Amino acid sequence: MVEKEEAGGGISEEEAAQYDRQIRLWGLEAQKRLRASRVLLVGMKGLGAEIAKNLILAGVKGLTMLDPEQVCLTCCSRDVIVKVDQICHKNSIKFFTGDVFGYHGYTFANLGEHEFVEEKTKVAKVSQGVEDGPDTKRAKLDSSETTMVKKKVVFCSVKEALEVDWSSEKAKAALKRTASDYFLLQVLLKFRTDKGRDPSSDTFGEDSELLLQIRNDVLDSLGVSPDLLPEDFVRYCFSEMAPVCAVVGGILAQEIVKALSQRDPPHNNFFFFDGMKGNGIVECLGPK
């Protein structure tokens, strides 16, 4: 959860020197917004530690860390994630969540109605009477002038994003392009709800069988084929992989900084990372 206060006043010479690189990257006003922001970070496992490090280095005003469990046990269940998201939305607080399961990780954002500015290159105007040729086109593209464009994007709740109705023709068409990690997340959250923990390597055989059963039940309830999530997923979703935590933690911290500074378009709304393939994808899922 992230909350902003009024970004009044300037910054000291010491702060200007400390955050000089960032100020040159996203500007003084954006840094002042970060400086006036408070963040509540729930869950201090591998992913939480990476997020905390990145936000502290970015210069937020305050970071509160909450973890009622012993380190590396369970994190938030689906019910808790949905409830906290609803509370944040009601109080106009920006909400982020994320997790790492073995080689897979995800982030989700609900920023409500979010306004931001995006830097765009100005297109050079061509004088009337000048013929349109290769040189003219090059002049338009090579313009070094930029302008800041204000934009607004609306996010859905995490509950809506997890309860997509796949029965419509439009949804069926989108299903072919949807990352299988979306369904993997549903399975792992259901496992966490049922068992009160994440899959453990100490009980690999038992947990693998249960994950496959949950896969069938969850995907059937969503009205999609269990084959969308191949059975070998059980081999790659145990424990937390440190490199995956570093990648997902960096992405999530980056998105929090973008939301607080109101610079550049945010990920709307899921980001999925597959450590086996070494790539990530942004998915916008929910009511259209």
Side-chain angles (χ1 to χ4, degrees):
M1 295 186 293
V2 295
E3 188 174 22
K4 296 190 297 181
E5 299 177 0
E6 291 299 319
I11 64 173
S12 66
E13 291 184 9
E14 183 179 349
E15 287 177 301
Q18 182 176 357
Y19 301 115
D20 174 69
R21 198 169 153 195
Q22 294 174 191
I23 292 171
R24 284 187 279 123
L25 178 62
W26 52 57
L28 180 59
E29 289 303 314
Q31 187 64 40
K32 286 166 67 176
R33 292 190 188 100
L34 282 175
R35 183 174 176 263
S37 301
R38 298 178 184 274
V39 179
L40 171 61
L41 179 59
V42 180
M44 288 306 297
K45 299 199 295 182
L47 178 61
E50 288 288 342
I51 296 169
K53 175 197 71 176
N54 291 322
L55 291 179
I56 291 169
L57 291 174
V60 295
K61 179 176 182 178
L63 176 67
T64 301
M65 293 171 282
L66 172 63
D67 193 338
E69 307 291 343
Q70 297 181 38
V71 176
C72 295
L73 290 179
T74 60
C75 201
C76 297
S77 67
R78 171 173 170 155
D79 290 342
V80 171
I81 292 171
V82 169
K83 184 176 181 179
V84 174
D85 179 38
Q86 292 171 339
I87 293 171
C88 288
H89 181 74
K90 184 178 179 180
N91 292 277
S92 299
I93 296 174
K94 301 185 187 301
F95 172 80
F96 293 88
T97 186
D99 229 318
V100 168
F101 302 93
Y103 287 90
H104 298 271
Y106 87 98
T107 73
F108 173 85
N110 177 8
L111 308 184
E113 291 190 4
H114 179 65
E115 295 183 348
F116 63 96
V117 294
E118 185 176 11
E119 190 173 17
K120 292 286 188 179
T121 301
K122 284 186 177 180
V123 178
K125 293 183 179 180
V126 181
S127 302
Q128 290 184 347
V130 177
E131 294 184 5
D132 189 19
D135 292 338
T136 304
K137 292 180 180 179
R138 190 177 301 111
K140 290 181 181 179
L141 296 174
D142 290 347
S143 174
S144 59
E145 289 188 63
T146 60
T147 183
M148 304 306 292
V149 180
K150 288 185 177 181
K151 295 185 177 182
K152 182 169 77 170
V153 63
V154 179
F155 287 72
C156 72
S157 68
V158 68
K159 187 175 188 294
E160 292 172 314
L162 292 173
E163 296 179 355
V164 175
D165 179 6
W166 297 103
S167 62
S168 69
E169 291 302 317
K170 188 175 181 180
K172 288 178 181 177
L175 183 60
K176 299 176 183 178
R177 305 186 301 271
T178 302
S180 61
D181 283 48
Y182 170 75
F183 301 104
L184 173 61
L185 172 62
Q186 304 265 25
V187 171
L188 290 166
L189 289 178
K190 184 67 167 63
F191 183 100
R192 181 180 282 173
T193 297
D194 292 350
K195 300 292 288 185
R197 60 175 177 84
D198 290 338
S200 171
S201 57
D202 293 335
T203 51
F204 179 82
E206 175 188 337
D207 288 356
S208 295
E209 291 182 10
L210 181 56
L211 283 168
L212 290 172
Q213 182 58 53
I214 290 176
R215 178 202 66 162
N216 296 336
D217 295 341
V218 168
L219 271 65
D220 281 342
S221 69
L222 291 172
V224 298
S225 170
D227 293 337
L228 287 172
L229 187 60
E231 290 190 359
D232 65 350
F233 80 90
V234 298
R235 298 167 56 191
Y236 309 111
C237 62
F238 284 74
S239 72
E240 281 188 313
M241 303 296 291
V244 179
C245 288
V247 173
V248 179
I251 293 293
L252 186 46
Q254 164 195 284
E255 290 305 301
I256 294 173
V257 169
K258 283 160 62 177
L260 293 175
S261 63
Q262 295 178 274
R263 284 288 303 267
D264 300 324
H267 288 171
N268 184 5
N269 44 14
F270 280 105
F271 169 79
F272 296 108
F273 180 73
D274 185 338
M276 294 301 296
K277 297 178 181 177
N279 62 21
I281 185 172
V282 177
E283 291 271 15
C284 184
L285 296 166
K288 301 298 182 183

